[in-house]
Amino acid sequence: MTPQNLMLLPLSTPKLSIGCPILDYCLGGGIACNSIIELVGESGSGKTQLCLQLTVRAQLPPSHGGLGGSSIYIFTEFSFPFRRLQQLGNLYHASYPNLLRLEPLEDIYVHGVHDAQELIHVLGDIEAFIAIDHTRLPVKLIVIDSIAALFRSQYQTTPADLKRRSEMFFNISGTLKGLANKYGLAVVVTNQVVDFIGPHHGVNGVRLGNLESLDTSGRRVSPALGLAWAHCINSRVFLARHEQSIEVDIRNAPSTSICSQTHRTFHLVFAPHLAYASAEFVIKKEGIVGVSQ
């Protein structure tokens, strides 16, 4: 087997389709298994919407862009949006009545955690849960929404605490990558953003992906948790949102009215063997959909 022949071998990594050709194209076909992908963005950017959509789509067979598997959804803040998930489940069942069971939510396992140590304990339980094949469909997707919330106030900025925090990052990511590789899972984590103040060429000369592209709501931002966490993930997608004021003519009204319109953009910041890509998207009743330009 020569290096030239290796280049001709097909890529065998399964991928989970978002359900939109435009956004799948940005990802080289979809969410890759055997790795960790991060969705980062401000509140309201669409991170949770996309995660919910993926948990339903994962149940579809590979011939229809799914993984033929169930999902584990770990949430770390607020209450879990069961109503929205039920709505998506009903819509997808109506679109694929012969491929999804009547209650798609029965193949989505939801668990709340409150701190990083609890997450590590839960990940150990998840491995045992997967190993005993306790689900109707094999577990093929793990979602953590969001990772940043677990570290918001637990650690200070002292050198000792920063060291412990980094060790916790590598512990969590190492466990997730181990599960992904052992069981062929896709792992999706969400992250928050913080305001970025600094030069366009990066932090101390180090670029965290396409740092200059991280702009949302008129602010320059960077992903929370810093460079240490960036080394723990395989791919990063940045979801940006921008409000635009537009004038609307109202019939029989003496003047125009000013309305706000939200524009959202999907940016692939970094991923193995993929170039930077972006696309506008909208959030509809049936989920996140890319917009042709």
Side-chain angles (χ1 to χ4, degrees):
M1 180 66 71
T2 66
Q4 289 78 11
N5 289 337
L6 284 173
M7 292 291 291
L8 298 176
L9 289 175
L11 296 177
S12 58
T13 303
K15 293 187 176 180
L16 171 59
S17 169
I18 292 176
C20 169
I22 295 172
L23 300 183
D24 282 341
Y25 179 80
C26 292
L27 294 172
I31 306 291
C33 293
N34 308 325
S35 65
I36 302 175
I37 184 170
E38 177 196 76
L39 307 177
V40 60
E42 66 173 307
S43 177
S45 61
K47 304 187 299 294
T48 296
Q49 290 286 335
L50 182 51
C51 288
L52 296 175
Q53 185 170 327
L54 292 172
T55 61
V56 180
R57 290 199 58 83
Q59 299 172 40
L60 293 170
S63 59
H64 287 70
L67 299 174
S70 59
S71 304
I72 295 175
Y73 198 116
I74 299 172
F75 68 98
T76 64
E77 53 184 345
F78 311 119
S79 57
F80 184 79
F82 280 107
R83 182 175 296 180
R84 174 57 174 153
L85 182 58
Q86 182 71 66
Q87 182 186 42
L88 284 171
N90 292 339
L91 288 168
Y92 269 88
H93 175 71
S95 298
Y96 304 96
N98 298 321
L99 300 177
L100 290 178
R101 65 192 303 178
L102 183 59
E103 290 292 341
L105 271 63
E106 293 181 6
D107 289 310
I108 302 170
Y109 303 89
V110 179
H111 190 88
V113 299
H114 301 93
D115 59 57
Q117 197 62 52
E118 184 182 2
L119 175 60
I120 289 174
H121 177 75
V122 167
L123 291 178
D125 291 342
I126 286 174
E127 181 164 17
F129 182 74
I130 296 173
I132 62 175
D133 197 21
H134 196 63
T135 59
R136 187 185 72 87
L137 296 174
V139 174
K140 286 297 178 182
L141 173 66
I142 295 177
V143 174
I144 301 176
D145 184 17
S146 78
I147 191 70
L150 300 175
F151 296 92
R152 183 178 294 143
S153 59
Q154 189 174 357
Y155 295 90
Q156 304 300 317
T157 56
T158 63
D161 260 16
L162 291 175
K163 180 175 182 293
R164 282 193 293 268
R165 192 179 77 154
S166 294
E167 290 171 349
M168 191 69 76
F169 290 165
F170 289 111
N171 192 344
I172 291 170
S173 65
T175 302
L176 289 170
K177 288 177 180 177
L179 290 171
N181 290 317
K182 185 174 182 179
Y183 298 104
L185 311 176
V187 178
V188 179
V189 300
T190 69
N191 193 5
Q192 299 161 358
V193 296
V194 295
D195 288 321
F196 178 78
I197 302 174
H200 279 269
H201 57 267
V203 181
N204 296 327
V206 178
R207 290 183 61 194
L208 308 181
N210 292 294
L211 191 62
E212 68 272 16
S213 72
L214 304 191
D215 180 83
T216 185
S217 295
R219 301 154 47 209
R220 286 193 67 215
V221 297
S222 62
L225 306 183
L227 189 60
W229 173 252
H231 287 153
C232 294
I233 57 177
N234 302 105
S235 307
R236 169 171 282 164
V237 169
F238 173 55
L239 302 180
R241 68 192 300 267
H242 298 280
E243 300 292 336
Q244 181 181 17
S245 297
I246 58 174
E247 290 187 354
V248 178
D249 289 319
I250 301 177
R251 189 176 182 180
N252 299 325
S255 61
T256 59
S257 178
I258 304 297
C259 295
S260 180
Q261 189 175 50
T262 302
H263 292 270
R264 292 182 169 87
T265 312
F266 181 105
H267 299 270
L268 178 66
V269 180
F270 63 78
H273 316 301
L274 291 176
Y276 167 79
S278 68
E280 289 192 11
F281 70 93
V282 294
I283 300 176
K284 296 185 176 182
K285 183 174 64 173
E286 59 271 24
I288 285 180
V289 180
V291 178
S292 300
Q293 295 183 355

